[in-house]
Amino acid sequence: IQDSDDISYALKLALAVFSVSWPAFVASWNGWYSGVRGIWAPMQLILVFEVAIGTSFFIFFIRLIGVIFGCVLGYLSYVTGRGSRVAMVFILVVGIVPSFYIQLGTKYVKAGMVATVTMVVVALGTSPTIYMI
């Protein structure tokens, strides 16, 4: 156990997930955390920090760019669409096409996947007219 890389990774990931999800465990902040749909943060964290062969700081940075791109495009789809589902979908498709290209056409598969998941989650989370099931 002392020389295990897996234990070290598991402890680091557990600490990181706790650091982004601790407001859910505080009774007075729980409403805010669920109101801003904070549950997507640990999910994104797991995708970004996922261990893969050849993972490095550069790969983490590429995945982080995917998260930022997805957040910006998801929020932009809500702001530009002003609650219109058709406009939101159109803007999301404009962002999903390059994300799928990155996922399928380059070696940075996770960056495209993270960007796609993030933009859809942010778009669903910001829109009061679309209900998540």
Side-chain angles (χ1 to χ4, degrees):
I1 293 175
Q2 191 173 16
D3 295 330
S4 175
D5 290 336
D6 297 332
I7 295 292
S8 173
Y9 172 76
L11 291 173
K12 289 176 188 176
L13 184 62
L15 182 64
V17 168
F18 179 73
S19 68
V20 297
S21 60
W22 68 268
F25 298 108
V26 177
S28 60
W29 288 37
N30 192 321
W32 169 80
Y33 190 77
S34 62
V36 296
R37 292 172 178 81
I39 193 66
W40 73 273
M43 293 183 342
Q44 290 298 96
L45 182 89
I46 290 169
L47 279 175
V48 170
F49 279 102
E50 181 186 24
V51 172
I53 296 172
T55 298
S56 64
F57 181 73
F58 178 72
I59 298 298
F60 167 76
F61 186 69
I62 293 295
R63 291 178 185 176
L64 184 63
I65 290 172
V67 170
I68 293 169
F69 175 75
C71 286
V72 168
L73 218 77
Y75 188 70
L76 184 68
S77 73
Y78 169 69
V79 170
T80 305
R82 294 189 181 119
S84 168
R85 293 179 185 169
V86 175
M88 286 179 71
V89 168
F90 178 75
I91 293 168
L92 287 176
V93 167
V94 168
I96 288 174
V97 168
S99 296
F100 279 177
Y101 172 76
I102 291 170
Q103 182 178 354
L104 300 172
T106 68
K107 63 182 182 177
Y108 306 115
V109 175
K110 296 293 182 191
M113 183 187 324
V114 167
T116 303
V117 169
T118 304
M119 72 180 72
V120 171
V121 168
V122 169
L124 287 173
T126 55
S127 177
T129 58
I130 300 175
Y131 299 100
M132 295 189 341
I133 297 174

